[in-house]
Amino acid sequence: MYEPGLIPLSFLPENKEFPMSVLATRITPNSLFFLRTHAPYPEHIHLQRWRLTVKGCVRRTIRLKYEDLCALPHSTLPVTLECAGNKRVFFEPKTQGIQWGIGGISHATWTGVPLRLVLEMAGILPHASEVLFEGMDIGPRTDLPGSFSYCRSLPLEKAFHPDTMLAMYMNAEVLPFKHGFPVRLIVPGWYGMASVKWLRRIIVLDHSFQGPFQSRDYVLLEQPNDYSNAVPVTRMQVNSVIARPIDRDVLRRGQHEIYGVAWTGTTPLKVVEVSTDGGETWYQADWVDEEEQYSWRRWRLNWNVLIPGEYTIMARATDGLGNSQPSKTAWNVKGYMNNSIHTVHVYVE
Ligand code: MTE
């Protein structure tokens, strides 16, 4: 029997795509959830010795054991995670970075402690402005000497948002090691870089954090090294992809289903339209899934094709604010946030 697997893009550090062409359920099984890592995995984690430290601009530093977090109130939320580099392969001219296709995205149900509970336990001081999250993975970079742990900060408002979570479970299983065990951050509606894995320290800051994963990566640059005009990557854009048919498929004449998935950051989706003639005519697709905040939504369209030849199939999502996917996303040096219309070419015999 055919067993789908992740699509490898790099092995050390490990980066692998969700195989979008086998999309079957709304929830991505943990074994098929895409993997994005910047450094080798952290060394073996001794859970007995592991602590989550909360310090900085707080009334009291706290050090939480795994059991302490287990004992705090938990909430559960389905959230789609999309890497900011998803669909980078479609940028022309090519940009730097791992050439993600359409599978740098997956969907899971996350369970854990609302972050604000832990921040309230430590007590934020009035001059605080940001919250920094430090992962346990450390690695070199190509642009700077030395080694860096994966660190990112959030503005206070997002850190205190009731849905921002310290996740300990993924799809009702203990968080898998490669997805950040024992505890990772989940920042719903933002691109995946914000959801720091393998947490060990949370530091409340009174200034803006400038680490390389914050100020050099995950920023939109029009010109190489023009960091003074960098725009940070935050909220996910309206987007969609066609899961099936796959690009360069050969189909028989007759009935086919065009099937895919659409998503946005914080606003709801409104419609997905599909074209089979390269964008001349558009038809409204049917939703497979209910609307659910932070969750991708599968869609489908029946296609009865009678004339043999080449067809160009396109899908275009629009959100509730009227933002539609562009035919071409504005190019940026590091190739982030590509939400251009996904196109596949098929041949009908
Ligand atoms: N956290 C740590 N500690 N190290 C990382 O390399 N990668 C980030 C984020 N959190 C990363 C991290 C990026 S860019 C993404 S897209 C998501 O984790 C991917 O999460 P996943 O590997 O569970 O899919």
Side-chain angles (χ1 to χ4, degrees):
M1 206 181 78
Y2 171 67
E3 288 244 0
L6 287 163
I7 302 168
L9 300 179
S10 74
F11 289 98
L12 252 183
E14 192 175 18
N15 286 288
K16 293 184 173 169
E17 284 194 16
F18 165 63
M20 186 60 81
S21 61
V22 301
L23 177 75
T25 49
R26 190 176 208 177
I27 294 283
T28 313
N30 287 354
S31 61
L32 293 183
F33 201 100
F34 82 100
L35 286 170
R36 172 69 179 113
T37 52
H38 291 76
Y41 289 111
E43 297 286 302
H44 180 73
I45 293 160
H46 299 273
L47 204 52
Q48 300 306 320
R49 280 188 249 146
W50 177 87
R51 298 286 182 274
L52 180 62
T53 303
V54 185
K55 61 178 199 173
C57 300
V58 292
R59 280 185 219 293
R60 60 181 190 113
T61 296
I62 53 174
R63 286 191 182 82
L64 299 167
K65 295 184 201 153
Y66 189 71
E67 300 88 285
D68 298 331
L69 288 165
C70 291
L72 287 171
H74 283 191
S75 59
T76 295
L77 198 63
V79 174
T80 299
L81 274 197
E82 183 191 14
C83 183
N86 191 29
K87 297 171 83 177
R88 176 179 287 138
V89 74
F90 301 113
F91 275 113
E92 286 297 343
K94 291 285 167 236
T95 66
Q96 42 182 278
I98 295 170
Q99 296 300 303
W100 293 90
I102 59 174
I105 180 164
S106 299
H107 182 69
T109 295
W110 308 92
T111 301
V113 180
L115 172 65
R116 71 173 180 187
L117 290 187
V118 167
L119 295 176
E120 279 161 8
M121 281 167 72
I124 303 290
L125 293 174
H127 57 288
S129 59
E130 285 192 2
V131 184
L132 176 65
F133 302 88
E134 188 186 314
M136 284 181 272
D137 48 336
I138 298 177
R141 292 177 56 92
T142 51
D143 58 345
L144 294 171
S147 286
F148 297 84
S149 52
Y150 189 85
C151 292
R152 297 255 329 161
S153 74
L154 284 180
L156 273 193
E157 191 199 356
K158 194 67 182 166
F160 272 89
H161 190 285
D163 295 334
T164 302
M165 180 195 294
L166 296 170
M168 302 168 76
Y169 298 87
M170 179 178 180
N171 293 332
E173 283 175 23
V174 170
L175 189 64
F177 173 69
K178 291 184 176 182
H179 294 289
F181 178 83
V183 179
R184 78 176 298 168
L185 191 63
I186 288 291
V187 183
W190 282 34
Y191 283 100
M193 75 280 144
S195 295
V196 180
K197 303 192 272 189
W198 307 292
L199 282 176
R200 71 161 155 209
R201 266 194 289 263
I202 299 177
I203 307 167
V204 181
L205 302 178
D206 60 1
H207 57 272
S208 95
F209 175 65
Q210 293 298 324
F213 295 104
Q214 187 93 19
S215 58
R216 295 195 149 237
D217 299 339
Y218 304 108
V219 290
L220 300 180
L221 299 179
E222 276 179 33
Q223 302 291 332
N225 300 318
D226 185 16
Y227 292 105
S228 52
N229 290 313
V231 177
V233 170
T234 57
R235 278 198 306 272
M236 285 154 66
Q237 301 291 296
V238 64
N239 213 334
S240 70
V241 292
I242 300 161
R244 292 190 291 277
I246 58 175
D247 197 28
R248 307 285 161 202
D249 237 345
V250 179
L251 309 175
R252 288 167 182 229
R253 277 184 293 165
Q255 280 289 343
H256 292 281
E257 182 179 75
I258 303 172
Y259 175 66
V261 70
W263 62 93
T264 62
T266 35
T267 47
L269 287 159
K270 191 168 146 218
V271 68
V272 171
E273 295 156 297
V274 175
S275 170
T276 54
D277 57 6
E280 292 282 310
T281 336
W282 294 89
Y283 302 94
Q284 194 169 328
D286 296 319
W287 292 117
V288 175
D289 298 310
E290 294 298 304
E291 188 189 319
E292 190 173 60
Q293 206 188 4
Y294 310 127
S295 298
W296 71 8
R297 253 180 122 175
R298 290 169 299 153
W299 51 262
R300 57 184 296 282
L301 183 86
N302 279 332
W303 182 37
N304 192 18
V305 53
L306 301 174
I307 304 168
E310 260 201 64
Y311 289 85
T312 300
I313 307 177
M314 302 168 125
R316 176 176 68 192
T318 301
D319 71 15
L321 298 175
N323 301 305
S324 285
Q325 290 179 250
S327 46
K328 206 169 173 206
T329 301
W331 189 90
N332 62 90
V333 173
K334 300 208 172 190
Y336 296 127
M337 289 171 55
N338 193 332
N339 70 336
S340 55
I341 290 173
H342 186 215
T343 302
V344 301
H345 302 276
V346 297
Y347 189 77
V348 177
E349 287 186 333

